Amino acid sequence: MITSLRTSALIVLLFGMLGTPKFAQAQWPQAKLTSLSRLGSRVGESVDVTLNGTDLEGVHSLWFDHPGLRAFHLKASTFRVVCAPGTPVGHHDVRAVGTYGVTNPRTFVVDDRPDLVESEPNNVLSQAQVVTLNSVINGQITATDVDVFGFDGKAGQRVLFELNAERLESRLDATIHILNAAGRELAECRDALGVDPFLDLTLPADGRYYIKVHDVVYGGSADHSYRLTLSDGPHLDAILPTVATPGVPTSFTLIGRNLGGTPAPDLLIDGRPIERKTVTITPPASGEIDPLTPSRHFLPSQAAPRRGFEYALTLPSGTSNPLFIAEATDPVVLEAEPNQDEHAQMVTPPCDISGTFGAPNDSDIYRFSARKGEVWWIEATAERLGSPADPAFLIQQVVAKAPPKDLGAAEDTPDQGGGAQFGVGSVDASLRWQVPEDGTYQVVVNDLYSSQRGDPRLVYRLNIRPERPDFRLFIVPASATLVDSLTIAAGGRATATVVAWRTDGFAGPIRVVAGDLPPGVRCEPVTIAAGQVMAPVVFEAEEGAKPRVGTVQLVGRSRYGDRKEELGYVSGATKLGPDLSHQAIAGTMIWPPGSPQAPAMAPARVSRGFVLAVVDARPLTLTASPPTFTVAQGHQVNLSVSVARRDGFAEAVTVTAADLPANVVNGTATIAKAETTGTLPLFVAKTVAPGEYTFLLRGTGPFPFSKTPDAQKKPNITLNEPSNAIRLVVRPAPLTLTLNNKGGALKQGGTLEVDVTIARQGGFADDLTVSLVSPPALKLSATPVTIAASQTTAKFVVQAAADSPVGAVAGAAVRAIATVRGEPIEVDEPLVLTLGK
């Protein structure tokens, strides 16, 4: 039933000028972790790690994503980290836990090679720290610093030098140099894997060699840490095919270095020879990414929507870097060269093609037959595979005795709205294409920088598939300006954001439900509205909840219940769409937007689980009611707001709505000092799209605070607390209501005639009633008017009492009440009045 919200004070159009405020981060301290003094450890060993960050007072423990990693507090912000035998090799998340909650994650690497730590001074060759081959050095660059390491090698030995910094969330933009015993430079590298260096060098003679490491501009700080690996172990450059059918044993060709495979004289990377090695791998039965172990290495947000699995080669000399193999959705096809110009490769859609831009100016053509009206999604993927290729493609019609005719093109895929919090746009290309007529067509795919490069690493996947609407779901901290995490005060609330990545035209609502919550924590389901990308999710800790840390798992579903709540649902007639269900993958910003590492868009990555902490109660908790309301387009509502005050907090609280759908006009409310309740007006405009939405309120107020409890002077900070999640269901209005003169001037004791015009829509054709809604304090009245089914206009007379307050009237409206299928549906139009004497 449509709820009638007859409240005493209603918003007027003037509130429409206020807009919806952006999320404002509270100034209450929130622990943040910027870096670690040491970025990893060898399996089975223990190391000491010092934390760098802000608001780390009272830090007492570290949270890791795997039970094989444990930490023991030594002093201040230093911990001894123990890595148990059997702990998986790869990247792990670590978070600090203390007085001000749980921090954002930082990466801690577990390796199977000897793990060393840099020892200063080592700035020049004469001070070089001697290390051994097949080891890892944990280092840190301070301002103007140069780190020098020495090692002994043999003539003909092939050594790989890889420095990890950017991929470990370090601010270091490193350069490495390799020098011989005489100090002559043999090789140098800056940007190879992102901005991280990678060098492949065959040693020319027996003897001592040196590695120099420095920042490209000789900057440095505690946040400029790195891990430098020098090894003759395996390194994977590519795997073909790039896709595989789930559960089916498949032969793969590994392409790389030190693989123990067969030399491939026809293949070179940066002038260096590489090998091929054939292995058989059985992919997992499902390509769905495990939310708790999404990747062994760095997984940027751009690649987060992928499905498939990672593979790494383990040899006695160590474990290789992992590469990603995508889940095939259609029959797998391997590129067959030559396949350009007149040698187009014939394929039959749907198909999943694996290819390589193996040489400069490589352009691959795939030709197929198609029938008029068929709809195909064509997607060229590289970045989501971890490939450095930047694919683009043309769709062409093959014309007899004439050049092919261009019909469409695709390059980069834009972000759908995750933005700084978790941008999922990429350089991969996709396009929906409808066949214009029976005939022969072709997709011409190439690397955007094909004139400048071409080598075996530039692999891609070209998927030609029927339309399969789907989505991926991500959960990230709520702030779009700060690297953040989720800390809830006992008896209070904290928010996160769920982000949907919609594919193949999927535009339906997504119901998001939390599960496996820590004891004492609850989270009401929320809906990402049809066509929308983001929605807030609110976590609540019960009063008296004990401090704890835990993980949360969210599941998004495209169909739920019996769909009778779904807008426009008609039993037996409404197309319900696909029944889809996906777990949310957790994500985090690495550095805030506007930092040197993120001048425009914040870098973000997938994290290993969404972690929250419960801490002691805070001064303010905000609650809104009703938690659910259903209205028609063009309706004014008031939300009741209440606050719980603690720790002597008695100041006024300003309340506004956040995360509102488009065209819902935001009001404001102020709960006065020492008061506990108030009313927030909202106007659901006629232009609000029907659907189900989730939003919340935020309450702000000043509070004297110091980290020193007995401080004599405590400066004010701004409390900024969220309410519970509010569910708004907007129904299509059965009519539109127009006030031809919008109101006017009205004298005390006088009357004002208002012309009302209605336009019935959606099949509504019955009588309706027009009445006045107005705050009692205005002392306005009007006799309800019935507009018969045959009429569209009426005269509506507003009467002011002799003692009505003088001035501009706020909160008055004309309301039309129509009965549709036995339910009263209300449509409002604000009435603009000025009361005079």
Side-chain angles (χ1 to χ4, degrees):
M1 178 175 179
I2 305 296
T3 303
S4 175
L5 298 177
R6 298 177 181 275
T7 49
S8 61
L10 296 172
I11 189 171
V12 296
L13 286 178
L14 291 176
F15 281 120
M17 306 303 292
L18 296 174
T20 300
K22 299 293 183 183
F23 172 86
Q25 174 66 24
Q27 295 176 25
W28 191 275
Q30 167 64 55
K32 291 181 173 59
L33 188 59
T34 57
S35 62
L36 309 173
S37 64
R38 180 169 180 154
L39 298 178
S41 171
R42 189 182 190 183
V43 174
E45 297 182 352
S46 62
V47 298
D48 290 352
V49 176
T50 299
L51 314 179
N52 300 303
T54 58
D55 297 324
L56 295 179
E57 291 86 353
V59 165
H60 53 75
S61 60
L62 300 182
W63 179 95
F64 287 97
D65 63 35
H66 192 276
L69 288 162
R70 298 178 62 197
F72 299 90
H73 194 194
L74 299 180
K75 61 178 181 177
S77 57
T78 299
F79 292 79
R80 179 155 295 158
V81 176
V82 179
C83 182
T87 304
V89 169
H91 288 197
H92 292 271
D93 279 350
V94 57
R95 300 171 185 255
V97 184
T99 302
Y100 300 115
V102 63
T103 69
N104 55 291
R106 281 300 190 233
T107 300
F108 188 83
V109 182
V110 173
D111 211 326
D112 55 4
R113 295 184 174 95
D115 203 271
L116 314 173
V117 66
E118 174 208 359
S119 177
E120 291 280 2
N122 64 338
N123 300 83
V124 294
L125 267 61
S126 62
Q127 299 174 328
Q129 179 180 349
V130 178
V131 297
T132 58
L133 196 62
N134 290 317
S135 62
V136 184
I137 303 105
N138 292 270
Q140 188 177 91
I141 296 292
T142 56
T144 72
D145 192 15
V146 177
D147 290 344
V148 183
F149 306 96
F151 71 97
D152 295 322
K154 298 291 186 181
Q157 198 168 27
R158 187 175 190 176
V159 182
L160 307 179
F161 306 86
E162 180 173 354
L163 187 143
N164 273 267
E166 180 189 41
R167 291 166 293 164
L168 299 180
E169 301 149 337
S170 169
R171 293 185 183 272
L172 177 64
D173 184 353
T175 297
I176 61 174
H177 309 260
I178 311 300
L179 300 87
N180 65 11
R184 184 173 65 86
E185 184 172 293
L186 303 178
E188 178 267 340
C189 181
R190 178 188 170 191
D191 299 342
L193 304 171
V195 303
D196 289 343
F198 177 86
L199 271 174
D200 174 0
L201 180 66
T202 300
L203 303 182
D206 292 358
R208 174 65 53 89
Y209 292 87
Y210 298 96
I211 312 165
K212 287 175 58 178
V213 179
H214 63 84
D215 183 75
V216 67
V217 295
Y218 291 92
S221 72
D223 297 339
H224 284 65
S225 297
Y226 62 88
R227 282 173 64 83
L228 174 65
T229 303
L230 58 157
S231 80
D232 59 4
H235 177 85
L236 294 177
D237 289 294
I239 295 180
L240 288 171
T242 58
V243 296
T245 304
V248 177
T250 304
S251 178
F252 290 88
T253 299
L254 309 182
I255 299 171
R257 317 166 208 219
N258 297 336
L259 304 182
T262 304
D266 57 319
L267 300 178
L268 293 174
I269 294 178
D270 297 331
R272 302 290 294 149
I274 56 177
E275 308 167 22
R276 290 188 179 96
K277 185 182 181 74
T278 301
V279 296
T280 298
I281 306 169
T282 300
S286 170
E288 197 79 32
I289 299 296
D290 183 349
L292 299 181
T293 55
S295 174
R296 300 188 193 193
H297 273 213
F298 178 71
L299 178 54
S301 60
Q302 295 90 330
R306 69 191 192 182
R307 289 173 59 96
F309 68 102
E310 289 178 324
Y311 172 81
L313 177 66
T314 299
L315 297 177
S317 54
T319 301
S320 76
N321 55 305
L323 290 186
F324 184 74
I325 300 169
E327 178 188 52
T329 58
D330 299 289
V332 176
V333 175
L334 291 176
E335 176 195 5
E337 290 279 9
N339 62 342
Q340 59 188 123
D341 300 327
E342 69 275 9
H343 302 292
Q345 181 175 344
M346 296 300 299
V347 297
T348 301
C351 55
D352 226 329
I353 304 168
S354 289
T356 309
F357 303 122
N361 298 308
D362 189 5
S363 183
D364 299 331
I365 303 177
Y366 301 97
R367 188 170 292 178
F368 56 92
S369 298
R371 301 183 65 84
K372 181 179 180 179
E374 290 177 340
V375 173
W376 297 101
W377 274 90
I378 303 173
E379 184 172 31
T381 305
E383 185 172 31
R384 291 191 180 124
L385 301 175
S387 166
D390 187 346
F393 62 81
L394 282 172
I395 304 171
Q396 297 177 325
Q397 184 174 22
V398 179
V399 182
K401 299 180 181 181
K405 179 182 178 183
D406 293 349
L407 300 180
E411 288 186 16
D412 298 348
T413 302
D415 182 44
Q416 293 179 3
Q421 287 166 274
F422 203 73
V424 192
S426 79
V427 300
D428 295 341
S430 63
L431 184 69
R432 182 185 188 272
W433 176 63
Q434 185 167 359
V435 182
E437 59 181 300
D438 292 1
T440 301
Y441 299 87
Q442 62 188 27
V443 177
V444 183
V445 59
N446 64 276
D447 178 50
L448 200 61
Y449 303 97
S450 61
S451 64
Q452 306 167 36
R453 64 182 185 180
D455 70 45
R457 293 172 295 189
L458 300 174
V459 297
Y460 66 87
R461 170 195 190 186
L462 181 67
N463 187 207
I464 306 174
R465 64 179 182 268
E467 198 161 43
R468 299 183 183 122
D470 206 341
F471 68 91
R472 299 287 180 270
L473 190 66
F474 309 100
I475 177 170
V476 297
S479 177
T481 59
L482 299 170
V483 176
D484 213 349
S485 57
L486 191 76
T487 297
I488 318 170
R493 302 181 177 91
T495 66
T497 300
V498 283
V499 181
W501 173 254
R502 300 172 179 272
T503 60
D504 289 17
F506 177 76
I510 302 169
R511 176 66 60 87
V512 181
V513 179
D516 296 327
L517 291 166
V521 176
R522 61 185 180 273
C523 177
E524 293 297 320
V526 301
T527 299
I528 304 176
Q532 290 197 333
V533 174
M534 305 170 74
V537 57
V538 180
F539 296 90
E540 306 181 37
E542 63 187 23
E543 200 76 40
K546 300 299 182 183
R548 66 179 73 247
V549 179
T551 56
V552 174
Q553 293 193 1
L554 300 181
V555 177
R557 295 203 62 183
S558 63
R559 290 170 62 180
Y560 43 87
D562 60 8
R563 302 284 279 197
K564 290 179 181 178
E565 288 301 313
E566 187 117 337
L567 302 176
Y569 175 82
V570 178
S571 179
T574 301
K575 182 179 179 181
L576 296 181
D579 188 0
L580 306 169
S581 177
H582 296 295
Q583 280 192 298
I585 302 292
T588 181
M589 282 196 298
I590 299 170
W591 298 106
S595 64
Q597 285 69 30
M601 179 69 77
R605 70 165 174 90
V606 168
S607 58
R608 293 155 184 86
F610 192 77
V611 178
L612 61 81
V614 178
V615 296
D616 293 332
R618 292 180 182 169
L620 172 64
T621 300
L622 183 71
T623 302
S625 62
T628 298
F629 60 96
T630 303
V631 298
Q633 295 164 304
H635 197 280
Q636 302 182 81
V637 296
N638 279 356
L639 289 172
S640 297
V641 185
S642 63
V643 295
R645 300 175 183 271
R646 305 180 187 89
D647 300 331
F649 174 60
E651 295 298 318
V653 177
T654 300
V655 182
T656 57
D659 301 291
L660 285 170
N663 300 317
V664 173
V665 182
N666 195 359
T668 59
T670 298
I671 301 176
K673 284 185 176 184
E675 294 294 325
T676 59
T677 60
T679 300
L680 178 76
L682 296 174
F683 178 61
V684 181
K686 303 171 187 176
T687 51
V688 176
E692 181 176 324
Y693 303 91
T694 300
F695 69 96
L696 53 88
L697 308 184
R698 301 201 77 90
T700 61
F703 180 73
F705 174 82
S706 172
K707 290 181 179 179
T708 303
D710 56 355
Q712 292 185 353
K713 291 185 178 181
K714 296 182 179 181
N716 278 341
I717 65 170
T718 301
L719 300 177
N720 188 326
E721 295 298 319
S723 74
N724 50 296
I726 304 163
R727 178 173 173 256
L728 166 65
V729 180
V730 180
R731 299 290 199 199
L735 57 93
T736 61
L737 176 63
T738 304
L739 308 183
N740 294 345
N741 56 1
K742 293 291 184 182
L746 177 61
K747 292 184 177 182
Q748 291 175 319
T751 60
L752 176 69
E753 190 175 81
V754 178
D755 293 325
V756 177
T757 301
I758 60 102
R760 294 173 174 83
Q761 55 193 23
F764 175 68
D766 296 336
D767 297 353
L768 58 89
T769 301
V770 176
S771 60
L772 176 70
V773 288
S774 173
L778 295 180
K779 299 183 179 181
L780 300 177
S781 61
T783 301
V785 174
T786 298
I787 302 179
S790 60
Q791 296 176 320
T792 59
T793 61
K795 298 289 186 180
F796 187 70
V797 180
V798 180
Q799 172 77 50
D803 57 349
S804 288
V806 173
V809 170
V814 175
R815 171 169 292 170
I817 305 175
T819 301
V820 179
R821 293 190 293 272
E823 296 180 328
I825 299 179
E826 301 169 347
V827 177
D828 298 331
E829 183 65 27
L831 184 60
V832 180
L833 294 174
T834 301
L835 278 167
K837 294 184 179 180

